[in-house]
């Protein structure tokens, strides 16, 4: 088996020489940046498509809640309503 350190040192010399050619004042994302950006764009597109599919399956019809139809009354309102609901023969003074 060939010596791996020789091929590694050869690769490092090529990378070092390439690094010297790169302008130090100019920074670019390069191919790796494009690949990462494209992968993220595809992931967002797939998630949006999946969300749209799931939202289309949702049934938005609501059954009315019987408890929600009658609003809650405060104790003062309940006493007022009870006094108004008494029959006129009971609790009312007879005139006459």
């Amino acid at each position: 088996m060939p010596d791996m350190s020789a091929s590694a040192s050869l690769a490092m010399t090529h990378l070092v020489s390439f690094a010297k050619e790169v302008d130090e004042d100019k920074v670019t994302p390069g191919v790796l940046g494009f690949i990462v950006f494209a992968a993220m764009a595809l992931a967002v597109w797939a998630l949006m498509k999946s969300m749209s599919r799931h939202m289309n399956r949702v049934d938005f019809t609501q059954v009315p809640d019987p408890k929600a139809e009658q609003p809650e009354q405060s104790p003062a309102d309940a006493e007022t309503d009870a006094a108004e609901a008494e029959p006129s023969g009971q609790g009312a003074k007879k005139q006459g």
Side-chain angles (χ1 to χ4, degrees):
M1 184 174 268
D3 187 18
M4 294 301 283
S5 63
S7 61
S9 66
L10 181 63
M12 288 302 289
T13 55
H14 285 289
L15 286 175
V16 170
S17 64
F18 177 71
K20 289 180 183 176
E21 294 174 11
V22 175
D23 185 13
E24 293 178 3
D25 296 329
K26 184 178 178 183
V27 178
T28 61
V31 177
L32 181 62
F34 174 75
I35 291 171
V36 169
F37 181 78
M40 289 174 61
L42 285 173
V44 168
W45 176 78
L47 286 171
M48 291 293 291
K49 191 163 179 80
S50 174
M51 183 186 70
S52 176
R53 193 176 316 130
H54 281 86
M55 292 299 288
N56 286 336
R57 291 181 186 167
V58 173
D59 184 17
F60 286 108
T61 56
Q62 294 182 353
V63 177
D65 187 14
K67 294 180 182 177
E69 289 177 5
Q70 299 173 355
E72 297 269 337
Q73 293 182 351
S74 66
D77 291 340
E79 290 174 7
T80 306
D81 290 344
E84 291 174 359
E86 285 184 10
S88 61
Q90 297 176 355
K93 292 183 181 180
K94 291 185 182 179
Q95 293 178 353

